Structure formats: C-alpha cells, structure tokens
Amino acid sequence: MPSQTNLLSTSVGTVVRPVKFSRGRLLWVSLPALALLLGGAAILWLTGNNPPFQGLDDAWYRTMLASRTPWLTDVNRVLNFVGNSGMVIYCSAVFLVLLRRHRRIALFVATANLAALGLTHLIKFLVARPRPEDRLVAVDSGSYPSGHVSGTVTAMLVTALILGRLWMWVSGSILSAAMIYSRTYLGAHWISDTIAGALLGIGLTLLIWTAFYSSRRRITNGS
C-alpha cells in the first residue's frame, strides 16, 4: 500500500497548476502597482504625513466609527488574528506541503511572503505615518502600508497563482477585501494604508512570479 506521505504528495501534485501569464502582462500589472505604492509613500514623506488625500481618509474613518456594533467588532477582531498570526500559520503550512515535490514553487511561496513582510516594514519605518487614534486593537509600527492587508493579499495571490483555479481567485479576493474593511473598522489604519497594502501585495508578488514562471518558462516538479 502507498504510504500516507506518497498519497499526500500525489494529491498535491494533482492540485498544483501554476497560472500561465506572459512576462509582459505580469510587468504591466506589477510595476504600476508598486509605482502607486511608492508614490503614496513619497507624498506622505514630503508632506510630513499631511497628504492631499487625508480628507478622504478622514471621511472613511468617520464612517467606520459610526458603523461600529458589538457583533461587527467581534467579527473584525477575528480578522485581526487571521491577518497576522493566521497568515503566518497558513503560509508556513503551504510552504511545507509543497516542499517535497515542488521545491521551486515552495521557494516562490517563501520568497514572496518574506519579501512582502520586509518591504512593508521598511516603508513603515521610512514613512512613520501616525495611525488613527480610536483603535480597537493593539498595534506596533507605522500606519503606511497595512501589514495585515499586504500579508493577506500576498498569501491569497500566491495561492491563486500556484493552484490556478477560479474559486481561489474569488475566495482570496473576498478575504482581501474583508481585511481592507476590517483594518479601517478597527481603527488600525487609514483607508489609503490598506489600499497601499493591497498594491504592495499585488505588485511585489507578480514581480517575483516573473522570476519563477511565465508562459515561456514552466515550473517543473522538483525543479
């Protein structure tokens, strides 16, 4: 009888279907996303964290404050865990499952997620944007960009790229949108911070994907 390990490897091999995108198509999405992210960071730095879009941030923030209810707060506290520790657990599990038969894809998973984490905290440190005051959760470093959103978007996009299935694109998009809402509802971020986090996750993940895979270069099992 085949061992449980072999059965798991066979199952994973059947599920993994990397998405085929041309290098040019990936760059047309990733580079503008990263440009917008860095442009927002530059505006915040140059204006001393008093950007021209602060009025939009304030308006959204007031809407979130007015919409708070006990049950919504409980739901968003769960998302607060999901977007931090939950994503670490999830990405680690995906990496370990892929490592035996799909080492190159496992390397992509690790590279994309660690790079997103590193770039997020580098920009936070350089910009040092203050967070909203009326927060419902504990926070650590600067507000721009949102680490919960960048981590969630990166993890979901990575999974969608390696699985190549519509349901993953849809579910990943829903979770990412929920995380954007959650971070502003909890008062942990301005809405522009969460948009920047999404841009970081999309732009950096697709840029790294070009180094691992395009329609002209296929990732093979164990390569």
Side-chain angles (χ1 to χ4, degrees), residues 52-214:
F53 48 80
Q54 187 63 52
L56 295 174
D57 282 336
D58 290 338
W60 182 266
Y61 177 58
R62 288 192 296 269
T63 301
M64 292 295 98
L65 289 179
S67 69
R68 286 178 177 174
T69 64
W71 73 269
L72 270 178
T73 298
D74 290 341
V75 170
N76 284 287
R77 286 186 186 278
V78 172
L79 286 172
N80 181 59
F81 171 83
V82 170
N84 189 11
S85 300
M87 286 298 110
V88 173
I89 296 169
Y90 173 79
C91 293
S92 299
V94 171
F95 172 77
L96 292 173
V97 168
L98 290 169
L99 189 59
R100 187 168 186 268
R101 288 197 60 189
H102 300 278
R103 290 189 298 274
R104 189 173 181 81
I105 300 179
L107 179 60
F108 164 68
V109 171
T111 301
N113 284 284
L114 291 174
L117 178 65
L119 183 58
T120 296
H121 283 279
L122 175 62
I123 297 175
K124 281 177 177 288
F125 172 76
L126 294 175
V127 174
R129 188 186 194 187
R131 294 178 185 256
E133 293 183 358
D134 191 3
R135 298 184 293 269
L136 299 179
V137 290
V139 296
D140 46 18
S141 54
S143 191
Y144 184 97
S146 168
H148 278 65
V149 174
S150 66
T152 300
V153 170
T154 298
M156 295 300 99
L157 182 54
V158 162
T159 310
L161 287 169
I162 64 179
L163 294 186
R165 285 168 169 78
L166 178 61
W167 64 265
M168 187 60 226
W169 290 96
V170 173
S171 60
S173 298
I174 291 172
L175 180 58
S176 297
M179 195 60 63
I180 288 173
Y181 168 80
S182 175
R183 300 314 288 163
T184 56
Y185 175 92
L186 292 170
H189 288 284
W190 307 105
I191 185 65
S192 58
D193 301 333
T194 62
I195 294 171
L199 290 171
L200 189 154
I202 293 169
L204 191 59
T205 300
L206 293 182
L207 186 62
I208 293 172
W209 186 239
T210 63
F212 284 83
Y213 185 89
S214 74

